[in-house]
């Protein structure tokens, strides 16, 4: 210890302190500050880049999920549309069927009416014709029969009797 | 790691090479007296190595008595500023005369003397001559300055490289993990997210300074900066001052009036806590000094042993041991820088800690 103190050199201590302080000052200004800042900046950049990448990944995942949802929705919508279309189709078919049936029935009824009318007309015509034929025949007969006076009176007599009966 | 091991291996080889050169001159004859000479010489060499020096001495050729290295400026404050090159001392063999003042160099210290070089000793054999105030650029100052300039260029160029590219190249690529390590493993866990930023400059500077100086100390240049008490004192003092200056009221309250304990305990704890304030940086100072000095002593002693033994088996064993310890020292160089920084951060953490009120 005594030797240490006796060996202690004030000059060396002075120069060492001076050199070290100067070095400290110069290095802080020209080396450590820019170096530490550069390292920090770089680290921050890396961190930011990583965070951005993570964010982008998340966004992509979200987008994918969204796409999936959209696809699902689209599918559902398609199914619904198809279902609706089918229902409409069925409805239309059944409606058409019904209408056709009603129309047919109507046509049939019309036809029947027509037939009836025609038949009636034909019948009437036939009756008229028969009547006219009958009258003609009757005329002819009467002309032949009523050529004699007795017979005419006889006939009138029968008619009159017939009328009374009615 | 692999590269580092290889590097240390190389360093050790060079280290050993230098000392072989240093000692081989006196190792030509094998005898008991010669062996004792070698031992004292090794002792002197180690002592010399651990001490600071006024010139950058690499090695000495003992046969021709030529010293290899270069002189450094001596700056003395003795009735005005006296500046001269240490070559004037001729490695302590001559008296330097400056403006009518005479100085002599003895055992790594400069003393005032007269033209004849009169030396006065006390009873214990210590020189009692007056010592002038010494602000010389010694070997350690020179080395610290060299490391500081090197660090400034390396780290400022690294900082510049960030302007063009977010990822550094070359030196920066190697150092950036260490910068991040100091921030994430030392500063933030000990000081906390909120306050750590203002201490980062100091922590990084002290970490790299100690580490690089330690590493340079392992090279054959043979410098021993962090193994000098004045240097570690200067470094620990910084930690101490920064801790006290930035401390919040909570810190002082925990020292002088510990909350949560009875009053008599508060009175007992106050001086202990106050003592702790000084012991902490003191421990920092001693730890770094002792570790690095011990490392250098052990390494140099082992290298010295290579020359004491004339047995090739022993020499081989010591060579292996030296290599192994060199690798360990490489680890210690990093570890001590880490511990110093880590503990500084811990003390800063105490200073800015915000206690929740229970």
């Amino acid at each position: 210890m005594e030797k240490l103190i006796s060996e202690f050199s004030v000059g060396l201590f002075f120069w060492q302190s001076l050199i070290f302080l100067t070095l400290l000052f110069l290095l802080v200004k020209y080396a450590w500050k820019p170096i530490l800042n550069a390292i920090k900046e770089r680290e921050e950049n890396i961190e930011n880049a990583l965070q951005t990448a993570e964010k982008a990944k998340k966004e992509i995942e979200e987008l994918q999920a969204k796409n999936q949802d959209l696809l699902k929705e689209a599918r559902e919508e398609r199914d619904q549309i198809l279902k609706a279309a089918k229902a409409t189709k069925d409805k239309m078919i059944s409606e058409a069927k019904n209408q056709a049936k009603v129309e047919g029935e109507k046509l049939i009824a019309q036809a029947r009416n027509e037939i009836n009318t025609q038949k009636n007309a034909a019948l009437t015509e036939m009756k008229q014709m028969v009547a006219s034929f009958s009258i003609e025949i009757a005329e002819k007969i009467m002309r032949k029969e009523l050529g004699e006076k007795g017979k005419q009176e006889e006939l009138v007599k029968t008619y009159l009797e017939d009328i009374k009966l009615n | 790691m692999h590269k580092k091991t290889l590097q240390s291996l190389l360093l050790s080889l060079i280290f050993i090479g230098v000392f072989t050169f240093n000692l081989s001159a006196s190792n030509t004859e094998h005898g008991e007296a010669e062996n004792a000479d070698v031992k004292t010489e090794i002792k002197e060499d180690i002592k010399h190595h651990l001490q600071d020096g006024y010139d950058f001495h690499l090695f000495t050729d003992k046969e021709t008595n030529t010293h290899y290295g270069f002189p450094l400026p001596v700056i003395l404050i003795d009735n005005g500023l006296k500046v001269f090159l240490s070559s004037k001392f001729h490695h302590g063999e001559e008296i330097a005369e400056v403006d009518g003042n005479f100085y002599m160099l003895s055992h790594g210290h400069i003393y005032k003397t007269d033209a004849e070089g009169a030396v006065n000793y006390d009873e214990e054999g210590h020189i009692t001559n007056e010592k002038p105030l010494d602000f010389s650029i010694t070997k350690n100052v020179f080395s610290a300055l060299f490391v500081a300039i090197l660090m400034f260029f390396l780290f400022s160029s690294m900082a510049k490289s960030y302007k063009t590219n977010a990822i550094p190249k070359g030196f920066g690529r190697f150092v950036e993990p260490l910068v991040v390590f100091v921030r994430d493993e030392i500063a933030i866990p000990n000081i906390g997210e909120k306050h750590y930023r203002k201490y980062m400059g100091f922590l990084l500077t002290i970490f790299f300074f100690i580490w690089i100086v330690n590493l340079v100390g392992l090279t054959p240049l043979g410098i021993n900066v962090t193994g000098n008490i004045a240097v570690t004192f200067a470094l620990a003092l910084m930690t101490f001052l920064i801790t006290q200056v930035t401390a919040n009221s909570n810190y002082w309250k925990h020292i002088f009036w510990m909350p949560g304990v009875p009053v008599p305990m508060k009175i007992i704890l106050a001086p202990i806590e106050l003592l702790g304030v000084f012991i902490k940086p003191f421990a920092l100072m001693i730890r770094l000094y002792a570790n690095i000095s011990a490392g250098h002593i052990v390494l140099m002693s082992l290298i010295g042993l290579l020359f004491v033994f004339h047995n090739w088996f022993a020499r081989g064993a010591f060579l292996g041991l030296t290599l192994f310890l060199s690798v360990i020292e490489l680890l210690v160089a990093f570890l001590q820088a880490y511990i110093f920084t880590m503990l500084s951060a811990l003390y800063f953490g105490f200073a800015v800690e915000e206690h929740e009120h229970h």
Side-chain angles (χ1 to χ4, degrees):
Chain A
M1 192 69 210
E2 198 184 307
K3 196 174 165 249
L4 271 185
I5 292 166
S6 73
E7 294 274 304
F8 187 88
S9 161
V10 179
L12 180 57
F13 167 72
F14 166 77
W15 284 115
Q16 170 63 34
S17 302
L18 186 73
I19 289 168
F20 188 81
L21 283 175
T22 316
L23 180 68
L24 180 64
F25 173 76
L26 287 175
L27 283 185
V28 164
K29 194 166 178 201
Y30 295 108
W32 303 133
K33 222 175 224 168
I35 288 171
L36 286 172
N37 286 344
I39 291 173
K40 201 168 187 187
E41 201 178 305
R42 200 182 58 206
E43 280 171 350
E44 273 167 6
N45 279 346
I46 291 169
E47 189 132 317
N48 282 346
L50 283 176
Q51 273 176 354
T52 315
E54 192 74 15
K55 228 167 128 186
K57 203 175 142 195
K58 247 184 204 161
E59 264 169 27
I60 286 170
E61 268 168 16
E62 266 170 33
L63 223 70
Q64 270 176 343
K66 229 180 189 174
N67 278 354
Q68 283 291 335
D69 280 354
L70 272 174
L71 215 70
K72 214 171 142 192
E73 257 172 52
R75 269 200 200 113
E76 270 170 14
E77 211 168 322
R78 187 198 64 186
D79 285 351
Q80 262 176 2
I81 289 169
L82 278 177
K83 224 164 135 188
K86 208 176 160 195
T88 316
K89 182 194 78 177
D90 287 349
K91 206 174 143 195
M92 268 168 85
I93 288 170
S94 68
E95 259 174 24
K97 262 186 194 163
N98 282 343
Q99 217 175 341
K101 210 172 154 190
V102 170
E103 206 77 9
E105 270 167 9
K106 225 164 131 188
L107 278 174
I108 290 167
Q110 253 177 8
R112 211 168 263 162
N113 270 348
E114 191 75 12
I115 289 166
N116 274 343
T117 329
Q118 292 292 336
K119 197 177 88 183
N120 286 344
L123 275 176
T124 324
E125 210 175 323
M126 239 170 68
K127 274 179 188 165
Q128 278 175 350
M129 274 170 80
V130 170
S132 69
F133 281 145
S134 307
I135 292 168
E136 255 177 69
I137 294 166
E139 213 179 64
K140 276 172 187 171
I141 295 171
M142 275 173 76
R143 266 184 197 147
K144 218 176 153 183
E145 291 268 322
L146 293 175
E148 301 156 30
K149 215 154 161 200
K151 271 197 182 171
Q152 280 179 359
E153 281 169 1
E154 201 184 331
L155 188 67
V156 174
K157 237 175 138 176
T158 21
Y159 278 140
L160 285 171
E161 274 170 29
D162 269 355
I163 290 163
K164 276 177 199 165
L165 276 171
N166 274 334
Chain B
M1 197 61 217
H2 206 74
K3 215 173 166 186
K4 258 191 174 175
T5 318
L6 203 78
Q7 192 188 350
S8 93
L9 212 98
L10 244 148
L11 285 183
S12 314
L13 280 177
I14 301 166
F15 209 100
I16 290 159
V18 170
F19 279 91
T20 316
F21 194 81
N22 202 346
L23 294 162
S24 59
S26 57
N27 208 17
T28 43
E29 286 170 34
H30 309 309
E32 272 305 304
E34 196 70 32
N35 217 349
D37 272 1
V38 171
K39 276 181 190 165
T40 39
E41 201 179 317
I42 290 166
K43 248 188 212 163
E44 282 297 311
D45 263 346
I46 293 173
K47 210 178 146 198
H48 178 78
H49 167 79
L50 291 175
Q51 258 182 352
D52 205 355
Y54 289 94
D55 49 8
F56 208 102
H57 174 244
L58 290 173
F59 53 85
T60 305
D61 189 341
K62 291 263 162 76
E63 268 179 74
T64 57
N65 204 18
T66 20
H67 299 274
Y68 292 89
F70 50 90
L72 293 165
V74 176
I75 301 165
L76 301 175
I77 295 175
D78 183 31
N79 293 324
L81 206 63
K82 305 276 187 291
V83 182
F84 56 96
L85 273 183
S86 67
S87 50
K88 251 191 176 167
F89 287 122
H90 286 98
H91 306 279
E93 287 151 16
E94 281 178 27
I95 291 152
E97 192 235 313
V98 188
D99 306 334
N101 291 306
F102 296 92
Y103 302 104
M104 64 166 204
L105 184 65
S106 175
H107 294 98
H109 292 288
I110 291 175
Y111 300 93
K112 274 191 90 162
T113 182
D114 54 22
E116 282 79 43
V119 184
N120 307 313
Y121 295 97
D122 64 8
E123 304 92 59
E124 287 164 29
H126 293 128
I127 297 170
T128 54
N129 287 29
E130 195 193 331
K131 278 190 196 172
L133 252 166
D134 184 0
F135 284 96
S136 304
I137 306 296
T138 58
K139 192 173 164 185
N140 281 346
V141 175
F142 180 79
S143 307
L145 193 64
F146 171 74
V147 169
I149 291 169
L150 184 79
M151 272 177 75
F152 176 69
F153 280 110
L154 285 176
F155 287 110
S156 60
S157 75
M158 176 188 170
K160 268 186 207 128
S161 80
Y162 278 102
K163 277 183 190 153
T164 50
N165 199 341
I167 295 156
K169 279 181 187 152
F171 176 73
R173 185 170 290 178
F174 168 67
V175 171
E176 199 200 88
L178 288 167
V179 174
V180 174
F181 170 78
V182 170
R183 188 192 63 181
D184 292 349
E185 305 298 327
I186 296 177
I188 294 177
N190 287 311
I191 304 170
E193 283 277 2
K194 201 174 155 193
H195 298 287
Y196 87 94
R197 188 61 186 81
K198 64 180 171 188
Y199 297 106
M200 275 306 285
F202 176 76
L203 293 174
L204 284 168
T205 311
I206 207 148
F207 175 75
F208 283 107
F209 183 80
I210 294 175
W211 188 38
I212 294 173
V213 159
N214 285 350
L215 284 181
V216 173
L218 289 175
T219 63
L221 293 174
I223 59 163
N224 181 32
V225 179
T226 33
N228 190 299
I229 198 83
V231 173
T232 58
F233 176 70
L235 296 177
L237 187 69
M238 306 273 177
T239 299
F240 173 75
L241 289 178
I242 291 171
T243 310
Q244 312 317 320
V245 168
T246 58
N248 59 17
S249 58
N250 236 313
Y251 172 77
W252 297 115
K253 205 170 148 194
H254 273 77
I255 289 168
F256 292 115
W257 207 243
M258 181 69 83
V261 294
V263 175
M265 275 305 282
K266 283 181 204 262
I267 294 162
I268 295 167
L269 277 174
I272 297 172
E273 287 287 329
L274 192 63
L275 209 61
V277 170
F278 296 98
I279 288 171
K280 281 170 191 164
F282 186 79
L284 271 186
M285 170 181 85
I286 295 292
R287 183 182 299 109
L288 182 59
Y289 160 78
N291 270 286
I292 302 304
S293 299
H296 280 241
I297 291 168
V298 168
L299 219 54
M300 290 197 66
S301 305
L302 279 173
I303 294 166
L305 280 174
L306 287 174
F307 302 98
V308 172
F309 286 93
H310 301 299
N311 177 327
W312 284 106
F313 175 74
R315 282 185 170 181
F318 281 120
L319 183 67
L321 203 59
T322 312
L323 290 181
F324 172 69
L325 267 160
S326 296
V327 178
I328 298 281
E329 278 306 305
L330 211 64
L331 185 73
V332 169
F334 178 83
L335 206 66
Q336 287 307 318
Y338 168 70
I339 290 171
F340 198 106
T341 317
M342 170 84 188
L343 288 174
S344 294
L346 193 70
Y347 301 154
F348 298 156
F350 290 148
V352 294
E353 201 176 3
E354 279 159 23
H355 292 272
E356 286 157 38
H357 296 283
H358 304 290

